[in-house]
Amino acid sequence: MKIVIPFLISLFCAFISFSQTGTLRGHIYDAESGEPIAYASVQIINSKEGVISDEDGFFQLSAVPSGIQRVQVSYLGYLDTLLEIDIISNKIKYQLIYLTRSTIELQTVDISASKERARTEIQIGQIQLSKENIKSLPSIGGEADIAQYLTALPGVVISGDQGGQIFIRGGSPVQNRVLLDGQLIYNPFHSIGLFSVFETEIIRSVDVLSAGFNAEHGGRISAVMDIKTREGNKNRISGLASISPFQGKLLLEGPIKPLKKENGTGVSFLLTGKYGWLDKTSPHLYRYAVDSNFYAFAKKDTSLSSLQNLGLPYQYQDLYGKISFLGENGSKVNIFGFSFTDKFKLANIASQKWETFGGGMHFLLSPLQSPVRIEGNIGFSRYNLSLAEKNTGPRSSSLESYTARLDFMQVGKHSALEYGLELISLNTGFQFVNPFNLTISQNDFTTEMAAFVRFKYQVNKFILQPGFRLHYYASQGQFSPEPRLGLKYLWSDNFRLKMGGGFYSQNLISLANNQDVVQLFSGFLVGPETSLFKSGSNIPVKSRLQKAMHWVAGMEWEPFNLFSVSVEGYQKFFNQLISLNRNKRKATDPDFLVEEGLATGVDVTLAYKPTSFDISVAYSLASVFETSNNVRFPTIFDRRHSLNFLFSYLAGKSKQWKWGAHWYVGSGFPFTQTQGFFENNNLTDLLQTDILGGNYPLGTLLSDEINGGRLSYYHRLDVSVQYTHKINKFAYIESTFALTNVYNRQNVFYLDRITNQRVNQLPVIPSLNMTVGF
């Protein structure tokens, strides 16, 4: 009894104390543009209670004592704001906060935000990028683009200047989930490989989840790239126009209904478009590049007059538009649409065209007196692709997806709970003629449904984040239970340990050939519904899904001010991979093969970021193997060694000069060597066939050792210098001179096995970009 009574009194006092507290919730915006400010600090004066805002500028403080509270809001690059806010017991107080810019450099701001994220988020296998990060690199063609920045990230492998393929920590492109404002994008990179479909100027954030991602994402077995765009300017009409030898672009944004600062309501629009015209400018500006790279294959069958008009074979167009409706309490609705096209034509070798178009609606609801916030997406996207190649039959692929998603989020004092539902409907079709003149085609419709929950809890120095996803594949009639886990230990203010992992699945299959050194065709289809057998046997598999298991472990360390070290090791077990049987010889042969894979690696990044310059070095050691028919071999993107060196420097009294350099070195990709040649006579008409004296097209005999050879090392140095002249507070002129492949390294792109003729990646290319903003 002596113990029970004091315990009940303590419990009663705690209840009374809690009942005398309320919740402070709000959003933090830039006073000039109305843009959300992510990772700003919100602190109760004379208290240890504080929190940072998320990427939407949202923050919430629970269990705040009732009464008048003095709250300080701060973020480097902005003036501190001090507010007096009346907190009412058992109520939620919503507060709009507008910060005014100061003169502190943005580079320092980015460092501060990174440190705050590191102390409050696990970030296992995760790198978050902003528009400013992307623009800090040397801009090829004078145009900063996320495709160029991704090549500088540890664990990311590119197929080169041409081809537009990104491989993330051992995963092929089909195994990476790419989202634009919640909508699936199936081919995010143009054929030239230097530019993506995403406009840098409208990017709010990019999350690259390279391994061990949690339960909110699924349907892919390797990685996730989540791109979110910002709303248009809420206070004034603004925009820019840009022109370079590579492309031209326009951006226009502004208020339809100006922002009301007292309640945060308003309507804005944003429109952007870019058009790639390198095929038209290169015959005049980069004639040497065309001569050395592409004419050798065209001269046999093309007249001299036609050759004069040939250029680098790339053309693309990207359009994006958004209308944003902002409501009270931070609620909002965004309606958006997009259209992306790409054309690639290499004379007498290949001609490819793809297009993506779609749209959707994203909404965020923040009921004032509810602890739960609701976020959702609905929309669709369609992808069409066609390819015609020399000496092979045509290929075509189409994919249409409809998506709907609903997330529920609840934030506590030391915890956060997120749960939701997701629905995806897929309609795929393809047709392909293999080397043995057999036509393989498939048309399918399927549905995927998923439910997930993720819980984050911080206690003392530990941050724990378990998650669980239940994914249902209707065409397979199968549930896939997928536990996930993330963990971080805050050893000290400057040193942290982290780990994570989970189980993953997907039903989407790529039509790309992993035996091709250069992959041009990026078609898709859903997994087969017929029986599949284990590699090299007649034993049926239990599941027709592709499956993987990840584990990641690493550390973050800031040994001294402005210097950081990051190390992560990872392993991805691709327990079951399914690929198209491209060498099917008879109609009775299986259409699909079952394979296995293993990706292992370690990534090390060193970064030093003072106010005026930025230096970073990233090294990756990795291996990626597949096993098919009991034969183990490296994949065509198995790059063992990768090294990135990045440098940027701001100079001038008002930092109007920006210098940048990026040097990338990568070991050679594997390929299957040629063993010999034969006359390819299919003997379809023996009476008319001259077996002894006839001349027939040459075929190739490949080595029994799959991918036993290695191409030469790929390396390239890019530099740029940018000058910004400010006309007034809003208007400016920006000039950028860029030099791609400074020392003119001849990196191989394509080699014809029969003629032994070689096409290289891009040679040294100078460019000048002019941008006018207002």
Side-chain angles (χ1 to χ4, degrees):
M1 200 69 176
K2 291 180 180 180
I3 298 176
V4 173
I5 291 177
F7 173 76
L8 292 176
I9 292 174
S10 299
L11 190 64
F12 178 74
C13 291
F15 173 77
I16 294 297
S17 175
F18 181 80
S19 66
Q20 293 176 349
T21 64
T23 299
L24 176 60
R25 173 192 290 180
H27 280 83
I28 305 172
Y29 295 112
D30 183 293
E32 190 173 283
S33 66
E35 269 296 290
I37 298 176
Y39 308 107
S41 172
V42 182
Q43 185 74 36
I44 305 292
I45 299 296
N46 299 324
S47 168
K48 294 183 179 180
E49 300 300 324
V51 72
I52 61 172
S53 59
D54 66 14
E55 64 183 23
D56 289 316
F58 174 80
F59 69 92
Q60 181 170 306
L61 277 166
S62 303
V64 179
S66 57
I68 302 296
Q69 297 292 336
R70 299 177 70 216
V71 179
Q72 179 173 296
V73 182
S74 59
Y75 186 63
L76 285 174
Y78 290 82
L79 300 175
D80 289 357
T81 297
L82 187 62
L83 303 169
E84 290 189 348
I85 301 175
D86 187 11
I87 304 297
I88 301 174
S89 297
N90 301 316
K91 296 290 185 181
I92 296 176
K93 172 67 177 179
Y94 181 81
Q95 183 71 41
L96 281 170
I97 301 172
Y98 296 92
L99 298 184
T100 303
R101 287 184 178 270
S102 66
T103 57
I104 296 179
E105 296 300 326
L106 186 61
Q107 215 166 2
T108 308
V109 173
D110 182 64
I111 295 169
S112 174
S114 297
K115 284 187 175 181
E116 291 296 336
R117 292 196 297 270
R119 293 176 184 134
T120 58
E121 299 176 5
I122 294 179
Q123 293 185 308
I124 190 71
Q126 177 180 0
I127 298 177
Q128 187 172 68
L129 309 175
S130 64
K131 177 182 72 174
E132 287 73 27
N133 295 137
I134 298 169
K135 296 181 73 172
S136 68
L137 272 186
S139 47
I140 300 173
E143 297 282 357
D145 193 278
I146 188 175
Q148 301 167 28
Y149 197 94
L150 287 173
T151 65
L153 298 182
V156 176
V157 172
I158 60 169
S159 58
D161 315 333
Q162 307 167 66
Q165 298 291 331
I166 298 288
F167 305 89
I168 302 177
R169 283 187 169 175
S172 62
V174 71
Q175 296 162 0
N176 304 325
R177 191 183 207 213
V178 181
L179 300 169
L180 175 61
D181 291 328
Q183 295 307 305
L184 290 164
I185 303 297
Y186 294 95
N187 197 345
F189 303 106
H190 289 296
S191 297
I192 192 173
L194 302 176
F195 300 103
S196 70
V197 301
F198 313 113
E199 172 50 48
T200 304
E201 295 293 338
I202 67 172
I203 287 177
R204 171 173 291 166
S205 66
V206 179
D207 281 311
V208 181
L209 310 173
S210 58
F213 49 90
N214 217 291
E216 69 274 21
H217 293 294
R220 297 294 186 275
I221 59 174
S222 182
V224 176
M225 189 165 66
D226 189 3
I227 297 103
K228 296 177 181 177
T229 63
R230 61 179 177 85
E231 291 93 24
N233 196 307
K234 303 172 183 68
N235 293 320
R236 65 180 183 88
I237 296 292
S238 62
L240 62 82
S242 172
I243 187 171
S244 77
F246 284 74
Q247 66 181 27
K249 69 178 181 182
L250 294 171
L251 169 66
L252 185 64
E253 59 181 311
I256 298 174
K257 182 180 178 182
L259 178 68
K260 292 184 179 180
K261 291 191 175 182
E262 61 271 18
N263 60 11
T265 61
V267 182
S268 66
F269 75 92
L270 184 150
L271 297 170
T272 182
K274 61 184 177 186
Y275 183 82
W277 48 45
L278 194 57
D279 61 322
K280 299 177 177 61
T281 59
S282 56
H284 309 288
L285 299 177
Y286 307 122
R287 180 74 181 188
Y288 63 93
V290 180
D291 288 337
S292 62
N293 282 273
F294 301 106
Y295 279 9
F297 288 91
K299 287 179 179 177
K300 293 181 180 180
D301 305 308
T302 309
S303 66
L304 181 62
S305 60
S306 298
L307 286 172
Q308 301 296 328
N309 298 320
L310 286 177
L312 294 174
Y314 307 106
Q315 184 186 108
Y316 55 87
Q317 176 181 283
D318 302 325
L319 302 172
Y320 181 89
K322 175 191 279 190
I323 297 179
S324 302
F325 302 86
L326 306 180
E328 295 183 355
N329 306 322
S331 298
K332 62 182 178 181
V333 175
N334 292 313
I335 300 174
F336 59 92
F338 52 84
S339 174
F340 312 130
T341 60
D342 183 278
K343 296 179 182 179
F344 171 86
K345 187 174 183 180
L346 192 57
N348 300 316
I349 296 178
S351 176
Q352 175 179 277
K353 177 183 178 181
W354 62 257
E355 60 179 357
T356 297
F357 62 90
M361 179 180 71
H362 167 264
F363 62 88
L364 179 62
L365 304 178
S366 299
L368 182 57
Q369 294 306 320
S370 172
V372 179
R373 301 168 70 218
I374 304 170
E375 185 175 8
N377 278 287
I378 56 172
F380 79 98
S381 63
R382 182 174 178 83
Y383 173 69
N384 295 313
L385 168 68
S386 61
L387 171 67
E389 287 183 290
K390 179 184 178 182
N391 300 327
T392 63
R395 295 181 244 177
S396 64
S397 175
S398 65
L399 188 152
E400 192 173 77
S401 65
Y402 296 86
T403 60
R405 181 183 174 106
L406 203 58
D407 287 21
F408 301 88
M409 299 160 288
Q410 185 171 346
V411 179
K413 188 174 183 179
H414 299 292
S415 63
L417 176 65
E418 181 179 358
Y419 52 95
L421 302 168
E422 187 174 20
L423 173 68
I424 302 173
S425 292
L426 289 173
N427 189 2
T428 63
F430 86 100
Q431 184 167 314
F432 163 64
V433 179
N434 75 359
F436 304 99
N437 293 320
L438 281 178
T439 299
I440 303 173
S441 63
Q442 178 177 319
N443 291 279
D444 273 312
F445 177 82
T446 188
T447 301
E448 298 179 15
M449 293 175 283
F452 71 90
V453 60
R454 183 183 68 167
F455 179 70
K456 185 176 79 169
Y457 185 74
Q458 184 165 357
V459 53
N460 297 325
K461 293 186 176 183
F462 284 95
I463 304 175
L464 181 66
Q465 194 171 60
F468 184 79
R469 185 180 185 91
L470 186 63
H471 205 115
Y472 177 69
Y473 298 91
S475 62
Q476 307 295 347
Q478 183 176 346
F479 285 95
S480 178
E482 299 170 7
R484 317 277 175 86
L485 177 66
L487 177 67
K488 175 174 276 190
Y489 178 65
L490 309 177
W491 186 288
S492 67
D493 191 48
N494 296 321
F495 186 78
R496 298 165 293 277
L497 299 173
K498 57 184 179 179
M499 63 170 291
F503 293 85
Y504 306 87
S505 65
Q506 79 176 66
N507 193 35
L508 196 65
I509 296 174
S510 172
L511 299 179
N513 183 6
N514 284 343
Q515 303 304 312
D516 291 340
V517 177
V518 177
Q519 294 185 355
L520 294 176
F521 191 71
S522 300
F524 303 96
L525 67 154
V526 297
E529 299 176 29
T530 56
S531 296
L532 297 176
F533 301 92
K534 290 183 178 181
S535 178
S537 74
N538 293 321
I539 303 173
V541 298
K542 295 180 180 180
S543 170
R544 291 187 295 268
L545 297 175
Q546 300 184 86
K547 294 186 175 183
M549 181 179 69
H550 301 180
W551 72 262
V552 197
M555 66 88 159
E556 303 164 347
W557 182 34
E558 294 94 34
F560 53 86
N561 193 30
L562 305 178
F563 183 77
S564 64
V565 180
S566 174
V567 180
E568 277 194 1
Y570 65 90
Q571 200 160 40
K572 295 180 179 179
F573 300 89
F574 298 104
N575 312 105
Q576 182 165 289
L577 300 173
I578 300 172
S579 63
L580 185 68
N581 185 2
R582 295 169 61 93
N583 294 319
K584 178 176 178 176
R585 295 174 180 270
K586 300 177 295 185
T588 55
D589 289 344
D591 290 335
F592 300 93
L593 300 175
V594 177
E595 302 170 331
E596 297 176 354
L598 176 65
T600 306
V602 60
D603 300 325
V604 181
T605 303
L606 309 177
Y608 181 54
K609 299 185 177 183
T611 301
S612 296
F613 64 92
D614 183 339
I615 299 175
S616 66
V617 179
Y619 171 73
S620 297
L621 174 65
S623 66
V624 189
F625 285 92
E626 283 187 13
T627 301
S628 180
N629 290 322
N630 296 322
V631 177
R632 188 172 185 261
F633 55 90
T635 66
I636 54 100
F637 50 89
D638 174 42
R639 175 158 280 168
R640 295 297 170 86
H641 305 278
S642 297
L643 177 67
N644 277 284
F645 174 81
L646 303 175
F647 172 80
S648 65
Y649 175 65
L650 296 173
K653 187 176 181 180
S654 57
K655 308 298 183 186
Q656 70 271 30
W657 289 94
K658 183 173 76 172
W659 302 79
H662 176 206
W663 187 48
Y664 176 75
V665 181
S667 57
F669 287 132
F671 72 98
T672 302
Q673 295 171 303
T674 302
Q675 194 172 37
F677 303 93
F678 65 94
E679 287 190 284
N680 191 10
N681 181 1
N682 56 21
L683 303 176
T684 54
D685 188 353
L686 291 176
L687 294 178
Q688 300 295 324
T689 299
D690 185 355
I691 297 177
L692 298 178
N695 292 316
Y696 302 98
L698 284 180
T700 56
L701 293 174
L702 300 182
S703 170
D704 292 335
E705 184 181 4
I706 301 175
N707 292 339
R710 290 272 174 175
L711 297 176
S712 57
Y713 264 66
Y714 175 98
H715 51 91
R716 193 183 79 199
L717 172 65
D718 304 326
V719 298
S720 69
V721 57
Q722 183 180 93
Y723 176 76
T724 303
H725 173 66
K726 291 189 176 181
I727 301 172
N728 55 40
K729 184 178 180 180
F730 301 118
Y732 64 90
I733 299 176
E734 191 175 83
S735 305
T736 304
F737 174 76
L739 198 58
T740 303
N741 196 3
V742 173
Y743 50 83
N744 199 29
R745 165 68 177 177
Q746 294 185 345
N747 295 302
V748 64
F749 170 60
Y750 182 91
L751 185 68
D752 190 300
R753 292 183 185 270
I754 303 295
T755 64
N756 204 36
Q757 287 180 307
R758 166 174 165 166
V759 172
N760 291 323
Q761 304 273 9
L762 295 177
V764 56
I765 293 186
S767 61
L768 179 65
N769 172 268
M770 297 292 293
T771 300
V772 178
F774 59 92

